Amino acid sequence: MRKLVGCLCALVIPGLAFGSPATFVTALPVAQDQLLVRFNFQGILSTQQLGTYQFPVNIGYGLTSKWAVFVNLNQGVDTLTLTTPQGRAAVSTGGEGDALLYARYTLFKIDRPDSTFRIAPLAGASLPMGNNSLTNQQGLLPGSLQTGSGGVDPYVGITTGFNTAKWGMAADTTYRANTVTGSGISPGSELRTDAQGEYVLYPRRLPEEGLPNELVLSVEANYVQDANAHVNGLTSPFSSGKAFKQDTFLEWTTLHWQLGAGLQVPVMQDLEGTGRIKERAGAYVFFEYYLAAPSWRHHRNTA
């Protein structure tokens, strides 16, 4: 019976069986004919009284057993206390941010009764849905208050994941080549690497029948390195930086949905220049739901 449960887990894992990475969505599992929708809240508190509150929505769809497509929609509010001739004042910006579209292809996979392993490259682009030229009475606002990059930015990467009945891991490396626009602030190109390890805290043992709900502990790490930004087409010197962050999450997982919450703490922030703002702490909450394929997909596949 336990071998049968293991086989079922191997079949379900590509779609949903255990926790999902919370701080990077490139490794989200999506099986063929599954539609994934994730709602997120990301709150980050920084020095110099900068508060960032983002509400991304991630949508993924499994076209085939190897191909999946993703759309990441971003919106939020940023508030920063600035020094003006009239004194210190809080300035807020918000609204729609850039949208990220990409496709992921499972290049290599190994499915066994008690584990599954995936390697999948991805490619796409970030579309300029936000604004990189927001101003106030003193001129162009800082880059931390801009809601977009102003250009179409190519996006490539690779992700991998390994899961067993009790634990799993996932990782990715991505690169976004930010284009330079003639006006506004163009952020520097970004290299990012993420890793996650997870362990099922409850139940301690698999039941004899069926697939249980699970409480999962997820520990994640994020490394981000960006190049110099550009202001009105000109390079802004000493505007690059490196950061390493550590995250801890608890996730409640069922066959069709997940709920997760956790905290993020910066471990290292090497930011050049005086205009870069260091983060102090972050909080993440997400709700993730998996839907069956639309009826027309089932009809086409059985025709």
Side-chain angles (χ1 to χ4, degrees), residues 40-46 50-56 75-78 245 247 249 262-266 279-286:
N40 306 270
F41 165 75
Q42 302 172 5
I44 297 176
L45 298 178
S46 303
L50 170 65
T52 299
Y53 308 95
Q54 299 296 318
F55 304 90
Q75 49 279 317
V77 177
D78 300 300
K245 305 172 187 178
D247 326 278
F249 291 85
L263 297 175
Q264 181 180 78
V265 178
E279 297 180 4
R280 290 186 297 178
Y284 284 73
V285 177
F286 72 87

Side-chain angles (χ1 to χ4, degrees), residues 17-204:
F18 306 112
S20 297
T23 57
F24 60 105
V25 298
T26 56
L28 290 181
V30 182
Q32 181 175 350
D33 294 338
Q34 271 192 333
L35 177 67
L36 173 153
V37 181
R38 172 187 276 202
F39 301 93
N40 306 270
F41 165 75
Q42 302 172 5
I44 297 176
L45 298 178
S46 303
T47 57
Q48 300 181 21
Q49 297 181 347
L50 170 65
T52 299
Y53 308 95
Q54 299 296 318
F55 304 90
V57 178
N58 312 120
I59 302 172
Y61 184 69
L63 291 173
T64 69
S65 61
K66 292 187 176 183
W67 282 101
V69 292
F70 295 85
V71 178
N72 298 342
L73 305 175
N74 296 284
Q75 49 279 317
V77 177
D78 300 300
T79 301
L80 176 63
T81 300
L82 298 175
T83 301
T84 68
Q86 293 75 32
R88 294 175 66 82
V91 178
S92 297
T93 60
E96 187 177 15
D98 290 350
L100 177 62
L101 285 75
Y102 63 93
R104 188 180 70 192
Y105 178 74
T106 302
L107 184 65
F108 179 78
K109 64 179 181 178
I110 300 176
D111 288 328
R112 294 177 177 173
D114 58 352
S115 67
T116 184
F117 175 71
R118 297 284 190 275
I119 297 177
L122 56 94
S126 178
L127 305 182
M129 307 297 289
N131 194 332
N132 74 323
S133 301
L134 296 173
T135 60
N136 64 0
Q137 293 82 355
Q138 282 71 47
L140 197 65
L141 290 174
S144 57
L145 293 179
Q146 303 296 334
T147 60
S149 69
V152 177
D153 306 322
Y155 179 76
V156 296
I158 188 168
T159 181
T160 183
F162 177 79
N163 284 95
T164 71
K166 293 296 296 182
W167 64 275
M169 62 179 63
D172 78 345
T173 296
T174 59
Y175 180 75
R176 188 179 66 203
N178 290 332
T179 56
V180 178
T181 61
S183 61
I185 297 179
S186 303
S189 297
E190 180 184 272
L191 174 68
R192 177 178 177 128
T193 297
D194 309 278
Q196 178 230 18
E198 64 181 27
Y199 183 77
V200 178
L201 299 177
Y202 173 85
R204 300 299 299 175

